Amino acid sequence: MEVECIPFKKTGYFSNLICDYLDGKETLSPFYDRPPQIDQFAEQIKAKQNFPSSHREVLYSVLKNQYRDVDTSEDTKVNISLLKEASTYTVVTGHQLNLFTGPLYFLYKIISTINLTKELKLANPENNFVPIYWMATEDHDFDEINYFNFKGKKLQWNKNVSGAVGPLATDGLESILEAFSNEMGNSINASKLKEWFAKAYLEHDNLTDATRFLANQLFGEHGLVILDGNDSSLKRLLAPYVKRDLLENASYNKVVETIEQLQQLPENYGIQVNPREINYFYLLDGFRERIVEQDGRFYVNDTKIEFSQEEILKELENYPERFSPNVITRPLYQEVILPNLCYIGGGGELAYWLQLRAMFMEMKVPFPILLLRNSALVITGKQMEKLKRMNISLADIFLNQSSFINKKIREISNIDIDFTPQRKHLQEQFKDLYELAAKTDASFLGAVKAQEVKQLKGLDNLQGRLLKAQKRKLQDHVVRMTEIQNQLFPNKSLQERNLNFSELYLEYGERLIPHLMKALKPLSGEFSIVKME
């Protein structure tokens, strides 16, 4: 296995906001406390060192309960116990309950989290660090999670649902397993994948338990702790902050201020998410709907449920589990209940986290370090051989397909397709005409300029036609080039956003995760190209 790295900005797949954040651009410094560098974590530990011991006890108790029927590794058991100690801190990533983990980057998120805890332990041996996977059990967008891609096909779970996805019954997934099995064949690795799918979804009653089983199978031996935040004891710790949202619109006011600051920057980054006056849903079996306030009364959107101010505060006191944070307040919830130092997420996630610092300050909750998860392109030995035979560099394959083809055709063509010398020669000729035009009236000068533009455009058209002619002549090479690029960038997007881990597991089996853990360095700040044998 070999690993090469390139800057995120050179891939063409990451926003200016994220690239500027990674570069430490000064204009973004008001939107976070500390950059994601190993020497910054000592200060982050100091910022979080007053995390309440009572919160640790609640967290430990909840995790013990959530793991009571889980085949738990010794490393995970130790990590759960360590969370009771004041010297223990967490690193967190979160992800939806995608069917069979969904896109490949699910693995990269968790590997980044586990690997960072190892680096932190080496740098701060007096402390302990626990990797946490936060399951988004309260999300209600079923259409985002009900499928995964396998060998170019979409395996989709069709089901009429409403409410949070975590409690969803797993019935109806037998047909997905059958279709999946038919595509995989009968190798040893295929048998393991079938076993995992069957045990996760056919032997567990709901999506939360199924996802916990699968994540535990993949990463339990590395000490990963999996947390479901949809718990009444944990929600009780959040209740004071929910109250401020209900009565003061505290989150809304601070996030709006931050958005205004971001919009004043010259870079025009755009806004990832807009807050609501109340940033909580009302959650019951079968539905999760927004809470809205009007004229002093609180309504649950699209239902007949309503409360006076006194009634909703009593509801919060008696049933805190019924108040579900949205995308704005879920990060706050996480930091209230965990002794957390760092959140690891994708570019879109970090973009909305950068809108939240002022809200955290208002709530007097330390803001975590934000780290972009590892991103990677896995290239097989066969694919590397193809690239070498066609003399295609790793930088070349990140070009958009049109630029990629044009660049390579120019390189391999026995005809010079670059008309730059002809353009220069033509412009030199027009210099004499401009001198002549300067001695007469303005109308002639305009005619000369128009003729120059016309002839330069004609040269460009001829160059384009020559390029097209060479593409036709070298069609076989073009086909092979685009074929390998399409393999590595399915749907003209990053591999990690399309492939499911099962495609790589079929090829590499038990070696896959250890190889990726060895290859991915969470603080490298670069995109990884992993060449697997």
Side-chain angles (χ1 to χ4, degrees):
M1 181 187 70
E2 294 179 33
V3 182
E4 288 191 33
C5 294
I6 61 173
F8 280 105
K9 64 171 61 174
K10 290 193 175 180
T11 68
Y13 286 97
F14 295 83
S15 70
N16 291 335
L17 173 64
I18 293 305
C19 292
D20 288 348
Y21 172 69
L22 293 174
D23 287 344
K25 193 165 186 176
E26 185 62 31
T27 52
L28 287 174
S29 61
F31 304 100
Y32 61 92
D33 287 337
R34 296 173 187 87
Q37 298 163 2
I38 194 67
D39 60 355
Q40 296 293 316
F41 279 90
E43 288 301 311
Q44 192 67 27
I45 288 170
K46 290 179 183 177
K48 200 73 179 187
Q49 65 185 355
N50 294 323
F51 185 77
S53 59
S54 58
H55 288 209
R56 290 182 182 275
E57 290 296 332
V58 172
L59 177 64
Y60 173 75
S61 176
V62 168
L63 284 168
K64 288 289 286 184
N65 183 55
Q66 291 185 359
Y67 270 85
R68 67 186 183 280
D69 297 321
V70 179
D71 185 11
T72 312
S73 72
E74 285 304 313
D75 283 351
T76 296
K77 288 178 182 176
V78 167
N79 278 342
I80 291 172
S81 294
L82 284 173
L83 287 169
K84 292 189 293 183
E85 299 182 7
S87 58
T88 299
Y89 299 91
T90 63
V91 175
V92 179
T93 194
H95 198 68
Q96 295 168 298
L97 308 190
N98 294 73
L99 188 61
F100 212 51
T101 75
L104 181 58
Y105 67 75
F106 173 82
L107 267 64
Y108 300 161
K109 276 186 165 184
I110 294 179
I111 289 169
S112 301
T113 304
I114 294 169
N115 282 349
L116 181 58
T117 60
K118 294 177 180 178
E119 290 194 35
L120 289 174
K121 182 63 177 175
L122 289 174
N124 305 273
E126 68 279 10
N127 295 108
N128 294 303
F129 306 92
V130 175
I132 302 282
Y133 160 43
W134 180 293
M135 294 192 293
T137 58
E138 296 178 56
D139 279 5
H140 58 253
D141 198 337
F142 181 67
D143 290 340
E144 286 190 0
I145 68 162
N146 68 346
Y147 70 93
F148 65 98
N149 298 316
F150 184 74
K151 294 188 175 180
K153 295 184 179 179
K154 187 176 183 178
L155 300 179
Q156 184 166 326
W157 181 23
N158 295 311
K159 184 182 179 76
N160 291 322
V161 303
S162 61
V165 298
L168 283 181
T170 51
D171 56 281
L173 283 167
E174 297 88 350
S175 59
I176 300 294
L177 176 58
E178 183 179 356
F180 189 33
S181 299
N182 290 339
E183 291 290 334
M184 274 194 291
N186 296 304
S187 67
I188 293 173
N189 293 339
S191 297
K192 176 59 70 174
L193 290 167
K194 293 173 193 176
E195 176 190 338
W196 283 343
F197 192 100
K199 285 187 174 180
Y201 298 103
L202 306 189
E203 296 183 16
H204 293 86
D205 295 333
N206 59 67
L207 201 52
T208 295
D209 292 343
T211 305
R212 182 186 288 110
F213 169 84
L214 189 54
N216 188 58
Q217 284 293 308
L218 293 170
F219 295 106
E221 67 181 79
H222 300 284
L224 181 69
V225 174
I226 303 159
L227 177 62
D228 175 10
N230 190 10
D231 179 274
S232 60
S233 298
L234 295 175
K235 290 280 186 74
R236 195 167 295 283
L237 303 179
L238 181 67
Y241 304 92
V242 181
K243 182 177 179 180
R244 289 199 62 188
D245 220 65
L246 293 170
L247 302 185
E248 304 171 25
N249 301 146
S251 303
Y252 173 80
N253 293 331
K254 287 300 175 182
V255 177
V256 165
E257 285 180 18
T258 302
I259 287 173
E260 290 173 354
Q261 285 180 271
L262 279 166
Q263 289 176 326
Q264 290 171 7
L265 298 180
E267 291 83 1
N268 191 28
Y269 291 122
I271 301 305
Q272 186 70 16
V273 63
N274 285 296
R276 298 186 181 276
E277 284 81 0
I278 296 174
N279 290 284
Y280 290 88
F281 293 91
Y282 191 73
L283 178 66
L284 281 178
D285 291 341
F287 76 89
R288 181 178 183 247
E289 295 289 347
R290 289 190 295 114
I291 301 170
V292 294
E293 184 269 335
Q294 187 175 353
D295 299 327
R297 291 193 68 79
F298 296 83
Y299 301 87
V300 178
N301 201 44
D302 290 335
T303 76
K304 295 181 180 180
I305 301 171
E306 61 178 275
F307 305 93
S308 66
Q309 180 175 302
E310 182 182 354
E311 288 168 340
I312 201 166
L313 294 179
K314 188 174 182 181
E315 185 81 356
L316 176 60
E317 181 181 353
N318 294 336
Y319 305 103
E321 69 276 8
R322 295 181 181 176
F323 292 79
S324 177
N326 72 359
V327 67
I328 294 289
T329 50
R330 191 215 65 80
L332 179 70
Y333 180 32
Q334 168 190 300
E335 298 301 312
V336 166
I337 66 173
L338 292 172
N340 192 47
L341 303 178
C342 177
Y343 183 75
I344 296 178
E349 290 176 281
L350 264 55
Y352 72 71
W353 271 88
L354 288 168
Q355 296 177 204
L356 305 180
R357 178 175 177 261
M359 178 189 76
F360 273 77
M361 292 175 67
E362 176 67 20
M363 300 294 188
K364 296 181 171 54
V365 175
F367 193 65
I369 289 174
L370 304 178
L371 176 62
L372 184 66
R373 64 168 172 82
N374 281 119
S375 280
L377 172 65
V378 176
I379 301 182
T380 67
K382 290 180 182 178
Q383 289 168 334
M384 278 304 302
E385 283 301 314
K386 287 182 181 179
L387 292 174
K388 287 178 182 176
R389 283 200 302 270
M390 290 186 281
N391 196 30
I392 296 172
S393 72
L394 293 177
D396 287 340
I397 60 175
F398 282 89
L399 295 169
N400 70 63
Q401 196 155 93
S402 177
S403 300
F404 173 55
I405 293 170
N406 291 346
K407 180 177 186 293
K408 297 309 295 179
I409 290 298
R410 285 189 169 95
E411 287 178 7
I412 64 177
S413 176
N414 57 4
I415 299 173
D416 189 357
I417 306 176
D418 185 2
F419 280 16
T420 300
Q422 288 84 350
R423 288 179 63 88
K424 287 182 178 178
H425 180 66
L426 184 63
Q427 288 168 328
E428 285 294 326
Q429 289 182 316
F430 270 89
K431 280 185 180 179
D432 293 337
L433 287 172
Y434 279 122
E435 289 177 6
L436 180 62
K439 298 173 182 177
T440 183
D441 62 35
S443 63
F444 186 68
L445 184 65
V448 171
K449 180 63 178 174
Q451 191 61 223
E452 181 187 29
V453 170
K454 181 179 178 181
Q455 292 197 30
L456 287 172
K457 187 176 181 181
L459 273 179
D460 290 341
N461 288 337
L462 285 173
Q463 180 176 295
R465 292 186 67 173
L466 179 58
L467 183 60
K468 285 181 181 179
Q470 284 301 93
K471 285 181 185 178
R472 288 193 296 271
K473 184 177 179 180
L474 300 169
Q475 181 64 27
D476 288 346
H477 200 90
V478 170
V479 168
R480 285 184 283 123
M481 287 164 48
T482 54
E483 185 180 73
I484 185 67
Q485 191 185 43
N486 289 340
Q487 286 178 14
L488 296 172
F489 296 84
N491 298 318
K492 295 182 172 58
S493 182
L494 287 177
Q495 178 193 71
E496 64 187 34
R497 298 177 188 172
N498 289 272
L499 260 63
N500 180 262
F501 85 96
S502 55
E503 289 194 44
L504 294 179
Y505 193 91
L506 271 180
E507 179 86 12
Y508 300 106
E510 293 181 354
R511 294 181 295 149
L512 176 63
I513 289 177
H515 277 5
L516 290 175
M517 293 194 73
K518 185 177 180 181
L520 302 180
K521 309 298 182 187
L523 295 171
S524 70
E526 293 189 303
F527 187 97
S528 301
I529 301 164
V530 183
K531 295 176 256 183
M532 302 274 277
E533 296 299 330

